[in-house]
Amino acid sequence: MREHTAQERWRAARWIQALLPATLLACGIAAADANRYAQLRAAMLDAIRADYQDTALYIDKEHADPRVLAAMGRVPRHEFVAENLQARAYENRPLPIGHGQTISQPYIVAVMTDLLGVDADDRVLEVGTGSGYQAAVLAELVAQVYSLEIIEPLATRAEERLSRLGYANVTIRHGDGYYGWEQHAPFDAIVVTAAASHVPPPLIAQLKPGGRMVIPVGTRFLVQELLMVVKDAEGKVSTRQLLPVRFVPLTGGH
Amino acid sequence: MNEAFHTAARPPLISIALISGAALAYEVLLMRLFSILQWHHFAYMIISLALLGYGVSGTFLCFLQKRLVQRFTASFIANIVLFAVSTVVCFQVAQQISFNAEEVLWNPPQLLRLFAIYLLLALPFFFVANALALALIRFSDRMSRIYAVDLIGAGLGSLLIVVLTFVLDPLSALVVLGMMMMASVAIAAWELKAASRVQLTAAAMLGAVVMSWAGAHMHLAISPYKGLSQALRIAGTKVVDTRSSPLGFLSVLESEQVPLRHAPGLSINATVEPPPQVAIFTDADNMTVVTEDRADRDAFAYLDYTTSALPYHLRDPDHVLILGAGGGADIHQARYHGAPRITAVELNPQLVDIVRDRYREFANDILGREGVELHVAEARGFVARSRDRYDLVQLALLDSFAASSAGLYALNESYLYTVDALQVYLRHLAPGGYLSITRWIKLPPRDTLKLFATAVEALQRENEPHPGRRLILIRSWQTSTLLIKNGEFEDREIAALKRFAAERAFDVAWYPGIGDSEVNRYNVLRQPYYFLAASALLGPRRDAFYRDYKYEIRPTYDDRPHFFHFFKWRVFPEIMALRARGGMPLLEIGYLILAATLIKAIIASAVLIVLPLTYLRRRHSSDTRSGVSAARVLWYFFAVGLGFLFVEIAFIQKFVLLLHHPVYAVSVTLASFLIFAGIGSAVTQRTLGAGGHARTARYAIAGIALTAAAYTWLLGPLLAYLVAWPMPVKVIVSAVVIAPLAYCMGMPFPLGLSRLSAAAPHLIPWAWGVNGCASVISAVLATLCAIHLGFSAVIALAVLLYISAAISFPRVIAVSKAPGCR
């Protein structure tokens, strides 16, 4: 390594002196930002809890799993959207992320994660990485997340983003999700966010007995229902269709 | 008032006909274009409101008519130039505005973009309406003739656009229309003997060249959330072919790297996947697939794992009729199950071309091979004409899940799923044969239940005392299949049904003898809704169920064929309260868009009608008092505007049932109405006898009322009688039947205008605007009335409107006549 001359050191000191206020200011702003985002995140969690109270029985959950909410309280959602949308990142709404894709509404992310019923040592497969937000929330809860994204720029960006944010337990691959990820199968849970005309048989095969798969059905901005595929301990598969909202189509004595 | 002008004394009839035709063609084309860019219902709303440009023109001319009429030649030509330029430019700008309907809930400023789109698209209609109104005012002594030419031009325009959209892609058709308008600039210049006609002709030619150059650089900015856009995001996909017709814009998509694997409704127990496929999108959505066939039967095993395979497990049908061949999936399914004789019907000839020619080898000639007989026809009309009886009639799943589940079809009439249609299918079943209808499953259940209700009603109409013994309903998480048998189901069939369902994890929702312990097993819903509904619909509690269920699931009939209309106002407050909590998809958005369009149109019309009136009152206070009552003028032109389209829209629907083809029926009916109304208008000039305007108008309206009322009764039997006749005969009969009605309908408007030109000429643009606004409201209101009351009620309302118009025909109040009277 090259020795610094006194002059150079002096010059560096001058630079530091000059930059110090700016650096402090920047740190201050960052801290204020972090604080502001933490507040927004807390408000987002309140919104999710309120939605849960309303829907309670309709998604077969009395309360939101506190672990899921805690995880969502840790993930910096604003990092998963474009800069011009960061201020809106914690609103309880979906946002466009380009390529005709969206980052889901926080409430829907919470319900889907909750329905998966994951444990700390689980291995989870995600089909359709998108922004990577759902993978990050899962990464807070489980041992290992494998995520597949078919749109290459999204895969690249999500991978870069998650590694920057320090999510070491998420592995992203650009590719087709139909065949799952044989190499890491079976999975305790699978979450599918990409559109498909049917539930891919290979994904059902890669689900562990006792495992669950959740698929939102609807459009990019409006989730109409959640399809949950359940594999029981004997390997028998059944599905459940859940409305993410309190609505009974049938009233009266029928 | 003609003395003031020394330009050409003859109205520019050719250019008037040209711009009227182009305006109508443009309207239809915009609908096409926006159905590709966005979704049909938004296209409907956008174009409906853009037509308010006519109303705006009326208001505008109230203020400026004098100045513009004085320079008639210049202002007429200038408005045509602006119309020509704006047809292309406004569309191009409007399509660049990225509007996403689904985001409105979260992002209300999106509505501003929508508003900008309305304004942009209203401009061309504003300019063309200016040109027409100026001509009417300038040549007020020949109003009837001008209006006649306007109507006939529009009638020809409605035919022209069908041809244009068949031979050209929609963007090229747009450019051709723009160029046609440029030509009419030159024609107008010569007709009016404009001083600078040579220069104008040169400029118009240059304009046309620029337009064709610009057209070559235009692209459709399709919403990124439509199916085609989404598919194109995947690496290795590309559009290899496109076809255009009024039936839809087809895009053929091949995927090199990632197989498409389109197999909706596939059982969760399936372990097989579809062979390689090619996708065909209609209007950038609604995907259907052509599947590779290497003469390996096993490759199609996946088709045995869908709910629609059920009938093949109950018996081996000899002759299968497939309604909606699409890319051929149902034909493959029938072949997989060994059906020896398959008749397939497909509406869209271009789709058939793609499957049969372009992918002949790939699909192993699925549409042309032995044992498959293909007909290009509308499904219901085909069955109605058919002399065969089938062992199985399969009504395929033709619409996409996304559009269907979002309630986007609420405005569409569907004559495939009415009680009357089901009766037609049932009568073409061989003894023991099945009618099988597959629909998407929605949560909460909607169309499957409505279909079940419709089937029960159809069976009862066929004098079946126990409809429940002839029905089977099964469901997966994604699709439901309803079987209606020509005969009662037997134990053998029930046993086969149970096996079929259990192996595929499909739930049974109804079969004769079903018990409540068998339902809701594999795809578990909060309640066994389908079974509960089926039991209720077959029992004495049916009406209570219709009433209490939160969606409209009563059967549909030909008179009210809105199968996809499920919205109930009663539930609206409940859903609105849930809208931000995931409740939005529960709303049947198509219906609400219709309602919103109506409200917007009424508000805008009120402004456009009232605003100039206050101004006119101030300026012509003496005239209005001594001329005619503004209230009468308002109601007369409003009622005539509403009535005209009410009749037109209702009869178009009646003739759809005869001509059995959405495009031909609409264009034949529309063109007949406009052309015969034009002839009626042209004749009014001569029939103006001593009795004058009011009496002629009364005769005309009596004619409309009597003919329309008579047709309400007579048309049904006549159309039923004609169903099996060849198409050209049916087209001619339709035109002949429409002629007298339309002939009378062409009279009231020019008679009213002509009266105004004598009594209160300053009110002409206002009346023009009122009529324009009424037309916009009318189209939307007619659809709403049809949804709730049926098309016969729309006709009855139209008759009442016309009668009220006859009563309110503008009367001259004072003896002193306004200047300019002849």
Side-chain angles (χ1 to χ4, degrees), chain A residues 220-238:
Chain A
R220 291 278 158 228
F221 283 88
L222 300 171
V223 172
Q224 276 152 10
E225 62 181 62
L226 297 169
L227 177 73
M228 184 161 74
V229 182
V230 183
K231 196 183 243 185
D232 69 12
E234 282 87 50
K236 256 188 71 184
V237 182
S238 65

Side-chain angles (χ1 to χ4, degrees), chain B residues 30-373:
Chain B
L30 275 185
M31 192 77 187
R32 228 28 323 284
L33 284 162
F34 275 86
S35 297
I36 302 169
L37 302 175
Q38 292 274 335
W39 281 271
H40 173 80
H41 59 300
F42 269 97
Y44 177 88
M45 173 161 76
I46 290 166
I47 283 89
S48 294
L49 292 172
L51 288 176
L52 281 171
Y54 280 88
V56 179
S57 150
T59 305
F60 174 77
L61 289 178
C62 281
F63 296 105
L64 286 174
Q65 62 165 315
K66 212 165 188 181
R67 244 175 279 172
L68 293 177
V69 174
Q70 272 168 0
R71 299 179 193 83
F72 174 75
T73 302
S75 45
F76 181 75
I77 293 176
N79 273 296
I80 302 182
V81 171
L82 289 170
F83 172 51
V85 173
S86 61
T87 48
V88 177
V89 173
C90 289
F91 169 75
Q92 177 60 11
V93 179
Q95 76 154 344
Q96 299 302 328
I97 298 176
S98 71
F99 168 71
N100 176 22
E102 291 192 330
E103 252 183 288
V104 170
L105 169 67
W106 323 101
N107 188 10
Q110 282 271 347
L111 290 175
L112 289 177
R113 298 185 189 178
L114 189 61
F115 190 65
I117 297 176
Y118 295 152
L119 286 186
L120 278 167
L121 296 181
L123 274 179
F125 297 109
F126 169 72
F127 293 128
V128 73
N130 279 346
L132 294 171
L134 285 170
L136 282 169
I137 300 166
R138 166 66 181 79
F139 300 97
S140 53
D141 53 336
R142 266 157 291 180
M143 261 176 184
S144 301
R145 189 154 305 151
I146 292 173
Y147 185 60
V149 169
D150 169 34
L151 287 174
I152 293 171
L156 297 175
S158 71
L159 298 178
L160 169 78
I161 194 61
V162 173
V163 177
L164 273 187
T165 40
F166 254 119
V167 295
L168 297 172
D169 68 275
L171 271 182
S172 309
L174 177 71
V175 173
V176 166
L177 275 187
M179 291 166 76
M180 200 174 114
M181 285 311 85
M182 281 296 174
S184 62
V185 170
I187 293 170
W190 287 89
E191 278 188 295
L192 292 169
K193 302 192 173 63
S196 50
R197 50 186 182 264
V198 177
Q199 292 91 319
L200 275 170
T201 308
M205 282 166 69
L206 185 68
V209 172
V210 171
M211 236 171 227
S212 75
W213 173 83
H217 293 82
M218 277 166 71
H219 300 283
L220 287 175
I222 298 171
S223 160
Y225 302 104
K226 289 197 88 165
L228 176 64
S229 308
Q230 296 270 322
L232 282 170
R233 298 278 178 196
I234 296 165
T237 55
K238 60 173 186 283
V239 172
V240 295
D241 198 358
T242 57
R243 308 278 167 101
S244 164
S245 86
L247 286 171
F249 181 69
L250 303 181
S251 315
V252 183
L253 179 129
E254 290 182 3
S255 183
E256 279 171 8
Q257 294 169 21
V258 182
L260 289 160
R261 308 183 195 100
H262 187 66
L266 192 69
S267 157
I268 49 166
N269 285 0
T271 50
V272 282
E273 65 173 277
Q277 294 168 328
V278 170
I280 302 169
F281 290 84
T282 304
D283 286 346
D285 222 27
N286 249 8
M287 174 170 138
T288 182
V289 291
V290 187
T291 307
E292 186 180 44
D293 184 355
R294 291 185 174 168
D296 170 17
R297 181 175 174 272
D298 289 344
F300 290 92
Y302 73 101
L303 291 172
D304 191 34
Y305 277 82
T306 59
T307 55
S308 60
L310 171 64
Y312 299 104
H313 287 256
L314 305 194
R315 68 181 277 189
D316 294 325
D318 282 330
H319 192 180
V320 179
L321 172 64
I322 287 162
L323 301 177
D330 292 76
I331 303 177
H332 282 299
Q333 187 181 49
R335 286 186 50 84
Y336 177 84
H337 291 99
R341 190 175 166 206
I342 300 164
T343 302
V345 181
E346 170 55 46
L347 178 64
N348 193 337
Q350 292 179 332
L351 183 60
V352 170
D353 281 348
I354 293 168
V355 181
R356 194 174 48 193
D357 301 338
R358 187 182 172 108
Y359 292 104
R360 182 188 295 268
E361 242 170 79
F362 181 80
N364 199 4
D365 200 14
I366 179 69
L367 298 182
R369 74 176 71 165
E370 212 188 320
V372 179
E373 188 185 313

Side-chain angles (χ1 to χ4, degrees), chain B residues 758-781:
Chain B
H762 62 279
L763 284 182
I764 291 177
W766 186 59
W768 171 252
V770 168
N771 193 264
C773 291
S775 306
V776 172
I777 292 175
S778 178
V780 187
L781 195 59

